[in-house]
Amino acid sequence: MIDMTVVELSRWQFAATAMYHFLFVPLTLGLSFMMAIMESTYVMTGREIWRKATLFWGTLFGVNFAMGVATGIVMEFQFGMNWSYYSHYVGDVFGAPLAIEGLMAFFLEATFIGLFFFGWDRLSKVGHLTVTWLTALGANFSALWILIANGWMQNPVGAKFNPDTMRMEVTDFIAVIFNQVAQAKFVHTVSAGYVCGAVFIFAISALFLLQGKHIELAKRSMVVAASFGLASALSVVVLGDESGYVATEHQQMKIAAMEAMYHTEPAPAALTLFAIPSDLPGEPAFQVQLPWVLGLITTRSIDRDLPGITELTEHAAIRVQSGIVAYKALQEIRADGTNTAARATFDEHWADLGYGLLLKKYREDVENATGEEITMAALDTVPDVWPLFWSFRVMVAIGFFFIAFFGVWFYRASRGWLDTSRPMLWIAFATLPLPWLAIEAGWLIAEYGRQPWAVEGVLPTFYAASGLHFWDLVISLTFYVALYTVLLVIMVMLMLKIIKAGPQDKLFAAADEGEDADFVVAALPATPANKELGS
Amino acid sequence: MSTIPLDYETLRLIWWALLGILLIGFAVMGGRDLGVGTLLPFVARTDAERRVLINVIGPTWEGNQVWLVLGGGAIFAAFPPLYAVSFSGFYLAMIVILLALILRPVGFKFRGKVADTRWRSAWDWALFVGGFVPSLIMGVAVGNVLLGAPFYLDDTLRAFYTGNFFQLLMPFALLAGLVSVGMIVLQGAVLITGRTTGVLADRARTYGTWAGLATIMLFALGGVWVAFGMDGYAITSIVDTNGAINPLGKTVALVPGGWMTNYGLYPWMIAAPVLGFVGLVAAVLGLQARLRIPTLVASSMAIFGIISTAGLSLFPFLLPSSTVPESGLTLWDASSSHLTLFIMLLATVIFLPIILAYTAWVFRVMRGDVTTRSLEKNPNAY
């Protein structure tokens, strides 16, 4: 039997790694584009202040990027290490976008980021600008392929289970690439990254204005961030709505859970603004609803019903039963590859095989499952409702706040009112953590919301894990979390130090011994202590 | 499937070769950075010297490391069962490699940001660990692949690993680990002599020479060990090289000295170990003659020869099983589907030349000696 403690620890480990990685990636996406915009302005206008701005934000970008790389490599290797049956079961489909990400995107980004930092005095202005754009492009292509891979886990199109090889295999790669869930997730996620970058630049610039420092740089950065941020915040919400619409088609259970919608909402469905929990399968004890809104968001209509958790569970039970038939046929094919009757049965039911595998939690011999076990397996398809319900509301509330926030600031920027109100600047500074809160909430909805599936309807999460030992996971989880946390603290301290030191005036001058000398990458003063450094 | 212009067998062979090329690519390109990291505390003693070494690799190490990311991605996409079994089977070894690799990006980026002796010294040692540990463990892993890993597959192709971390540290595996460290230290030392002057180049020349000589001895010892001291594996049933994957559909026998069989069957394969030795000798001589580019070519050739020797000896095995030999994975029974291999090949044919072109351009832009003077001019230097 599968050791559920190992599965739980593997899930925690994946969640921890992914959530750490996702602290850095969105900022990389947003900052890289904004730096490219600032440097473009520098090349077009020739004004030094823009180069100074590019360099200053670039320094912060570099520190963040290093953490993204450090956590990213673990993400890639973790599939094989902790989810080995997943890797075997869907590697034929999932591995390809991941490998193409390396070929097309990460290579580009990682090769040119070195030149971004070291190429200022070796390249022409336009040459360097090209390098900056290629870095930004690489980061965004990277997101595209990763989200194609992830989108397939949410909506596994273009693939079929092959009973001879015991795995999912690609039948239509174009369908995998143009999977509408993947495309919706891509635009939503990168837009969220752009908002994150814009808020980061905006909040720190606001701090500079509050402190009365680096005013020229801060104001110019704020103008770029306000316009870029407004456009991105609008697209995040509009495209977020698109992913809601797409999820209705493919992941009705996720929508139902996000809405704590235990029973089918007759059309047009109401959007629940607020609710107080009660246990499944009851109704919430108290709720405030906006009529019609949910129906409009999710079905783009007022005449389609939205299925509730209870109805979806009943539907799942039917699929579990069909999955048992598929599983039985699969056993027969494995025993005798020439059994054409079994193949015919399997072809009819293979799409429900994943539902049959849900029973593996309760018994090895799936074909002998009892009615009670089928019911339990069907109930297992319901993700935890309350974390999803609240994450969704946090994410959406922050999303709308950012539209208002950047709308106001865009107006103020166009009026030249950037430093006229200290309270407004304080609010701007205080928004700094909000994008991360929204982004992590969004991640939770996307990933926690598809539980119990590693691949929706195809492979249950618990069945995808490696057969590791308890202590393997305790050791690895402890070391990862400890190392990441230490590095995160160091990164934040360094960022604060860079922000405190502010933009450096001279680009190619020898390191100053004067103010800010402790930040400039200076040689250590020649004291006896460092003549024989550490050796 | 008839629309795919290459047959399944050919695609499997191509991907086997491409996998080798990607791993060699990492050892050659990333090996420079791992080697410099390993040598950092020994070749460079003052802060200024260490900054020079770090900035020799600073602008390009990130791109070089993508060869590893791509190698991992290629195993996942082209040989998913291999990816599943090896990464989970060598779990704790992989964790050690990853923890060491995590230290590199942050080490490069964080070290220079604070002018404090203890801070910098701590990151210097982190960079040493980030260079030395992966070099050693990756070599140990290759040694274990030759020895066979203790795993089996059940009838649903779920993998079960029955060994533990300490069993990885067998004498032959440690020898393979030392060969790996030796060739990577040589590569790093050759790079340093090519990009620095004075005392740094002199020290690197000394370390590089010793590393090269040691690698010659260790590689030879490894060859004798494989030929006379250990068993190889051979498939004893008929293999359908065009069939659907089925790692359980074969019988496998243990053959004393079996990893030498291929050299009898295909005498041209002798070129690989010969290239390894010739490259090592040429690199040592090149260091003494103070040649720059030819020495780097020679030590890269040595890496190419040494890694292909391991790959060719194992052919057609990718990862033999020591406990249930029938579960061992070969390129014929552990690949992706025909279609996926073809799609991946298309992507590689399109992107690999582009990658090589821009990588070459970046290296060209960043060429030239690194000195303390050149660093002071650049505020972005590490």
Side-chain angles (χ1 to χ4, degrees), chain B:
Chain B
M1 296 294 139
S2 56
T3 52
I4 299 169
L6 287 167
D7 66 30
Y8 204 3
E9 180 187 32
T10 311
L11 275 168
R12 281 169 164 161
L13 269 173
I14 290 174
W15 270 102
W16 175 77
L18 276 175
L19 182 61
I21 287 171
L22 291 173
L23 295 179
I24 291 168
F26 174 65
V28 168
M29 305 294 285
R32 303 153 50 112
D33 313 322
L34 297 178
V36 171
T38 309
L39 287 170
L40 181 66
F42 309 107
V43 167
R45 300 187 184 148
T46 66
D47 178 59
E49 287 173 1
R50 288 185 181 172
R51 284 192 64 212
V52 169
L53 278 208
I54 288 169
N55 282 284
V56 165
I57 51 175
T60 47
W61 82 270
E62 264 157 336
N64 292 340
Q65 180 151 299
V66 182
W67 288 92
L68 177 67
V69 175
L70 208 53
I75 299 177
F76 198 175
F79 299 104
L82 173 65
Y83 180 75
V85 173
S86 61
F87 280 44
S88 64
F90 297 151
Y91 187 77
L92 289 178
M94 295 294 302
I95 294 285
V96 174
I97 291 179
L98 285 175
L99 291 174
L101 286 177
I102 289 170
L103 295 174
R104 277 156 41 89
V106 287
F108 286 118
K109 209 71 202 177
F110 290 2
R111 181 190 184 278
K113 297 276 189 282
V114 178
D116 173 84
T117 311
R118 273 172 312 168
W119 169 268
R120 291 195 176 179
S121 178
W123 286 115
D124 291 336
W125 286 103
L127 287 172
F128 165 76
V129 169
F132 175 73
V133 170
S135 310
L136 179 70
I137 308 245
M138 286 177 193
V140 170
V142 173
N144 274 287
V145 171
L146 286 160
L147 289 165
F151 73 93
Y152 67 92
L153 301 168
D154 74 1
D155 61 343
T156 63
L157 302 188
R158 186 179 279 276
F160 294 90
Y161 185 79
T162 49
N164 66 44
F165 177 67
F166 294 101
Q167 286 169 5
L168 296 177
L169 306 176
M170 281 175 284
F172 177 78
L174 289 174
L175 173 70
L178 290 179
V179 171
S180 167
V181 170
M183 72 185 193
I184 281 171
V185 165
L186 171 64
Q187 180 82 339
V190 169
L191 179 71
I192 297 169
T193 57
R195 295 289 305 278
T196 62
T197 51
V199 64
L200 284 176
D202 291 340
R203 287 191 201 127
R205 194 168 296 117
T206 309
Y207 282 105
T209 304
W210 285 111
L213 293 173
T215 312
I216 294 172
M217 307 287 288
L218 294 166
F219 187 47
L221 180 60
V224 173
W225 200 322
V226 168
F228 302 106
M230 65 192 275
D231 294 338
Y233 296 83
I235 302 178
T236 50
S237 53
I238 293 166
V239 182
D240 179 4
T241 53
N242 270 305
I245 68 150
N246 181 14
L248 300 172
K250 63 177 178 292
T251 53
V252 172
L254 256 97
V255 183
W259 293 140
M260 305 302 280
T261 315
N262 283 340
Y263 297 98
L265 290 174
Y266 317 100
W268 61 267
M269 286 187 180
I270 293 290
V274 169
L275 189 64
F277 282 115
V278 171
L280 289 169
V281 172
V284 170
L285 294 176
L287 277 174
Q288 299 310 310
R290 307 193 174 214
L291 298 169
R292 288 186 165 193
I293 303 289
T295 314
L296 194 59
V297 172
S299 69
S300 302
M301 283 297 154
I303 292 176
F304 186 94
I306 291 169
I307 295 180
S308 352
T309 301
L312 292 170
S313 306
L314 283 161
F315 182 87
F317 279 93
L318 298 169
L319 180 61
S321 164
S322 58
T323 45
V324 185
E326 283 69 32
S327 287
L329 302 176
T330 73
L331 68 127
W332 310 121
D333 58 26
S335 75
S336 275
S337 65
H338 197 173
L339 180 60
T340 295
L341 288 184
F342 181 68
I343 292 164
M344 290 290 302
L345 182 63
L346 276 186
T348 310
V349 167
I350 295 168
F351 289 111
L352 202 58
I354 300 176
I355 291 166
L356 293 175
Y358 63 61
T359 303
W361 182 70
V362 169
F363 273 83
R364 219 183 98 77
V365 170
M366 293 311 305
R367 72 190 182 279
D369 283 352
V370 179
T371 61
T372 42
R373 190 175 293 274
S374 67
L375 293 183
E376 277 164 17
K377 282 190 186 164
N378 186 352
N380 283 308
Y382 294 144

Side-chain angles (χ1 to χ4, degrees), chain A residues 2 13 55 59 62-63 65-67 69-70 73-74 76-82 84-88 90-96 98-104 106-108 110-123 127 131 162 164-167 169-173 331 334 462-469 472-473 475-476 479-480 483-484 487 490-491 494 497-498 506-511 517-524 527 529-535, chain B residues 1 8 41 44-48 50-51 55 58-74 76-77 80-81 83-85 87-89 91-92 94-95 97-99 101-103 105-106 109-121 123-125 154-161 163 195 244-246 248 334-341 343-344 347-348 351-352 355 358-359 361-362 364-369 374 376-382:
Chain A
I2 288 156
Q13 183 158 316
L55 270 175
T59 308
V63 172
F65 185 79
M67 288 294 287
V69 174
I73 191 161
V74 178
E76 188 203 16
F77 283 25
Q78 217 172 43
F79 292 109
M81 290 166 68
N82 292 78
S84 72
Y85 202 54
Y86 172 89
S87 303
H88 159 74
V90 302
D92 195 70
V93 196
F94 186 85
L98 216 62
I100 296 174
E101 186 265 343
L103 276 168
M104 179 179 170
F106 191 49
F107 236 121
L108 190 70
T111 306
F112 283 108
I113 194 158
L115 215 47
F116 172 82
F117 287 108
F118 288 85
W120 286 98
D121 56 349
R122 288 173 183 251
L123 293 165
V131 163
N162 180 346
D164 299 315
T165 58
M166 278 304 290
R167 66 180 179 192
E169 290 181 352
V170 172
T171 52
D172 181 356
F173 195 63
Q331 301 292 94
R334 297 290 299 169
F462 72 86
Y463 204 57
S466 302
L468 296 169
H469 300 289
D472 291 342
L473 283 150
I475 292 168
S476 53
F479 274 106
Y480 279 141
L483 186 58
Y484 284 161
L487 292 178
I490 293 176
M491 185 203 78
L494 283 179
K497 195 173 159 66
I498 293 167
K506 294 174 208 145
L507 181 54
F508 300 126
D518 69 335
F519 158 62
V520 179
V521 187
L524 290 173
T527 58
N530 69 62
K531 283 213 173 110
E532 287 291 319
L533 234 185
S535 60
Chain B
M1 296 294 139
Y8 204 3
R45 300 187 184 148
T46 66
D47 178 59
R50 288 185 181 172
R51 284 192 64 212
N55 282 284
T60 47
W61 82 270
E62 264 157 336
N64 292 340
Q65 180 151 299
V66 182
W67 288 92
L68 177 67
V69 175
L70 208 53
F76 198 175
Y83 180 75
V85 173
F87 280 44
S88 64
Y91 187 77
L92 289 178
M94 295 294 302
I95 294 285
I97 291 179
L98 285 175
L99 291 174
L101 286 177
I102 289 170
L103 295 174
V106 287
K109 209 71 202 177
F110 290 2
R111 181 190 184 278
K113 297 276 189 282
V114 178
D116 173 84
T117 311
R118 273 172 312 168
W119 169 268
R120 291 195 176 179
S121 178
W123 286 115
D124 291 336
W125 286 103
D154 74 1
D155 61 343
T156 63
L157 302 188
R158 186 179 279 276
F160 294 90
Y161 185 79
R195 295 289 305 278
I245 68 150
N246 181 14
L248 300 172
S335 75
S336 275
S337 65
H338 197 173
L339 180 60
T340 295
L341 288 184
I343 292 164
M344 290 290 302
T348 310
F351 289 111
L352 202 58
I355 291 166
Y358 63 61
T359 303
W361 182 70
V362 169
R364 219 183 98 77
V365 170
M366 293 311 305
R367 72 190 182 279
D369 283 352
S374 67
E376 277 164 17
K377 282 190 186 164
N378 186 352
N380 283 308
Y382 294 144

